[in-house]
Amino acid sequence: MVESEAFPPEIPNPHDLAIRYAGKLLLRHEIHLDESLLQQLIQSNFFTPRKSISRKNFSSQCMRCGNQKKSLFGLIPCASCNKTHLYCRKCIEMGRVMACENLFEWKGPNPQWPEHENPCSWQGELTEAQEKAADRMVQAIRTKEKEILTWAVCGAGKTEMLFPGITAAVRSGKRVCIATPRADVVRELLPRFEQAFSGVTVEALYGGSETKQGTAQLVIATTHQLLRYKDAFDVMIIDEIDAFPFHADPSLPFATDRAKTHMSTTIYLTATPRKNQRILIHRNKLPHVFVPVRFHGHPLPVPVKKMCFTLKKDLLQFSPPTPFVTWIKNRKNPNRQVLIFVPTIALADKMKDKLAVLLAKEGIISTEEVLHSVHADDARRAEKVQMFRKREIFVLITTTILERGVTFPSVDVAILDAGHSVFDEAALVQIAGRAGRSPDDPTGEVMFFHDGKTEAMEQAIESIKKMNKRGGF
């Protein structure tokens, strides 16, 4: 709660204002208050206007995303002042930041988040390996440790491992954010956390999400959504720290660091840490906990390489290569769904029809309607993923948008053109990790179809074998 006495008596609903705007850095149109009330709050030092673009010594910086690249700034006429102003192209998808407009930061009293006595309603049990990692994360949160990395293999059950730490946080009135690279993962996590923390306010934020308030105690968001936050979260959980775009876009670590409170704890999650993270771990400069085994106790499926001599020719014609067709006809378990990864959107869309006709002709699928493609630009992306999860789609062709963070109980996985540059070691390991995730079907086939093995393929297979060895297999 917020003490109402901290507000002048003429300002209505002080608690509601604090909940809505504390910990945020917003454009004017994102503040849903009339101008007279906003001016009252500014005069009372509850809102502070900030320059949206800082200019110094012929250089500029966007104060929302941190962009300093000249090539990512532009000039545009302003309808309000009839002048031409600098604007940031880097974060324009979050709403245009212009030099003549301010960002507004809440400086009034902050809300006190509830201290929940028994916040976790999850009835499951952690394995010994999961419990060890969970206890280490709880310790980091309770002692306000700056950061810790949880390195857990694909299918280790990272989500469930977070439950004790989040429980400890909300028991003591902390606010928690789970930031993840992709909207598909946010959509999948939301119902799981709503069920596991039924007495805690939970909200999902991503492009196109139904809610945009960002007023919950537990927020699940794509990392881009953190561009609107400042000093908001006591516990920041960054899922898939190695994933694109987080590791490749400096504005996202910039926004994440700003969104944390000064005494926050950051928990990094990954199955495939990048080289720089492994170096920090090796030098004991990044505290970490390692989980080398899947929650169901079975090893990771080891990919099989399959040479396709006419691969490039086939793919140019948007046709599946013959070795792939042979494999899909002779799979060990024909009841498993098939998840096919391809390197480009064009290939996903244009191969779909040819493959559907071929598989229907071979009797592998009963109708062409049960084969679909999905990619980042697909307007039905969320719908198709849900249909695949319900087994209403049997074969799904996808780009790397489904390489991580999504769980399907019984699938075989194939990568067409596994040697393509888009499939680096981390991507290949993550894609392989889509198979064998259920205790009812813990194996699953993983196939790398290629026309020449690459270092990334070899490293991915070696990494999976090492993880299995460390897990006792």
Side-chain angles (χ1 to χ4, degrees):
M1 298 293 289
V2 174
E3 294 296 332
S4 300
E5 291 78 6
F7 284 77
E10 66 272 15
I11 296 178
N13 302 319
H15 177 253
D16 180 59
L17 288 172
I19 288 287
R20 283 161 62 190
Y21 298 118
K24 293 181 181 177
L25 196 62
L26 300 172
L27 296 166
R28 174 63 184 95
H29 75 267
E30 296 172 321
I31 300 172
H32 303 295
L33 303 174
D34 63 52
E35 189 62 25
S36 61
L37 178 54
L38 177 60
Q39 291 305 318
Q40 270 187 290
L41 291 168
I42 291 172
Q43 290 169 13
S44 303
N45 297 318
F46 296 129
F47 264 117
T48 299
R50 304 287 190 196
K51 284 185 177 180
S52 59
I53 296 178
S54 173
R55 304 193 72 175
K56 186 177 180 181
N57 298 331
F58 304 103
S59 65
S60 303
Q61 182 179 17
C62 174
M63 302 311 292
R64 183 171 66 179
C65 72
N67 169 45
Q68 298 183 60
K69 289 185 178 181
K70 289 184 179 180
S71 61
L72 293 177
F73 286 102
L75 291 170
I76 193 170
C78 175
S80 301
C81 63
N82 296 318
K83 294 181 180 179
T84 298
H85 289 288
L86 205 65
Y87 75 99
C88 179
R89 294 205 298 258
K90 180 74 175 67
C91 58
I92 196 167
E93 289 185 0
M94 303 291 293
R96 186 164 56 210
V97 170
M98 293 183 65
C100 65
E101 296 179 354
N102 289 315
L103 290 165
F104 294 87
E105 179 183 354
W106 178 261
K107 285 294 187 180
N110 288 321
Q112 290 183 332
W113 298 98
E115 296 180 5
H116 300 267
E117 186 176 350
N118 295 300
C120 188
S121 46
W122 183 61
Q123 298 298 312
E125 293 185 6
L126 297 177
T127 65
E128 184 178 345
Q130 287 176 317
E131 193 168 356
K132 178 182 175 183
D135 289 346
R136 182 65 183 86
M137 288 187 276
V138 169
Q139 178 189 353
I141 291 169
R142 285 178 174 166
T143 60
K144 298 180 180 179
E145 199 170 338
K146 183 180 179 182
E147 59 184 1
I148 181 172
L149 183 142
T150 299
W151 180 358
V153 298
C154 296
K158 291 191 288 293
T159 300
E160 289 75 15
M161 284 183 246
L162 293 174
F163 292 166
I166 294 173
T167 297
V170 298
R171 267 183 182 161
S172 56
K174 296 180 186 293
R175 193 180 189 195
V176 181
C177 178
I178 303 169
T180 189
R182 292 171 186 166
D184 302 278
V185 182
V186 177
R187 284 189 286 262
E188 178 162 312
L189 290 178
L190 177 62
R192 295 173 69 181
F193 278 95
E194 285 179 327
Q195 186 175 13
F197 293 91
S198 56
V200 181
T201 54
V202 183
E203 189 173 356
L205 300 176
Y206 55 90
S209 58
E210 293 180 5
T211 58
K212 293 288 186 183
Q213 294 296 317
T215 56
Q217 187 170 5
L218 174 55
V219 172
I220 309 166
T222 54
T223 44
H224 283 92
Q225 295 295 322
L226 298 181
L227 290 168
R228 293 194 176 100
Y229 285 88
K230 182 179 181 184
D231 301 327
F233 300 105
D234 305 296
V235 177
M236 178 66 73
I237 300 166
I238 306 178
D239 189 23
E240 308 292 1
I241 184 68
D242 63 294
F244 180 87
F246 190 89
H247 79 94
D249 185 345
S251 70
L252 299 181
F254 172 87
T256 302
D257 288 340
R258 188 181 59 201
K260 298 183 288 190
T261 59
H262 297 301
M263 297 296 290
S264 64
T265 296
T266 301
I267 297 172
Y268 305 113
L269 303 175
T270 182
T272 48
R274 297 276 168 177
K275 183 178 179 181
N276 62 320
Q277 292 148 5
R278 296 188 192 196
I279 290 172
L280 290 173
I281 290 170
H282 181 71
R283 293 177 178 174
N284 294 320
K285 292 186 176 181
L286 177 60
H288 81 288
V289 61
F290 182 64
V291 185
V293 64
R294 290 182 148 188
F295 79 95
H296 53 51
H298 292 267
L300 296 159
V302 178
V304 174
K305 301 190 298 292
K306 190 67 178 178
M307 186 71 172
C308 304
F309 293 100
T310 62
L311 180 72
K312 289 291 190 289
K313 179 183 176 183
D314 292 333
L315 297 186
L316 282 173
Q317 298 172 353
F318 305 109
S319 297
T322 300
F324 166 79
V325 177
T326 302
W327 166 76
I328 204 169
K329 286 167 58 178
N330 297 290
R331 291 181 301 133
K332 298 172 186 175
N333 184 347
N335 292 318
R336 287 192 192 117
Q337 292 168 279
V338 184
L339 196 55
I340 304 167
F341 286 84
V342 295
T344 66
I345 290 175
L347 190 55
D349 276 343
K350 294 183 179 181
M351 181 184 288
K352 176 187 65 175
D353 294 336
K354 285 189 176 183
L355 184 59
V357 171
L358 187 152
L359 295 186
K361 184 179 178 181
E362 294 286 345
I364 296 169
I365 58 177
S366 57
T367 167
E368 296 173 23
E369 288 299 311
V370 297
L371 188 151
H372 285 269
S373 64
V374 67
H375 49 74
D377 295 338
D378 191 337
R380 296 179 60 204
R381 169 178 168 181
E383 176 191 354
K384 289 178 182 178
V385 171
Q386 192 61 22
M387 288 173 68
F388 189 70
R389 188 170 282 117
K390 293 178 179 178
R391 293 185 67 90
E392 293 170 7
I393 295 173
F394 189 72
V395 179
L396 188 62
I397 307 173
T398 181
T399 58
T400 54
I401 60 159
L402 297 185
E403 76 176 32
R404 60 179 77 214
V406 291
T407 298
F408 306 110
S410 181
V411 297
D412 286 331
V413 175
I415 305 178
L416 300 184
D417 199 6
H420 193 283
S421 59
V422 74
F423 299 120
D424 61 11
E425 177 192 350
L428 292 170
V429 171
Q430 290 283 355
I431 289 169
R434 299 313 98 203
R437 296 178 72 91
S438 169
D440 297 323
D441 186 12
T443 53
E445 297 179 56
V446 180
M447 301 294 297
F448 290 174
F449 293 96
H450 66 95
D451 60 354
K453 62 184 180 182
T454 62
E455 185 177 356
M457 291 164 57
E458 295 295 327
Q459 288 174 339
I461 292 171
E462 185 61 27
S463 175
I464 290 169
K465 288 179 176 178
K466 282 182 179 178
M467 292 301 103
N468 283 341
K469 186 175 182 181
R470 292 184 70 171
F473 301 106

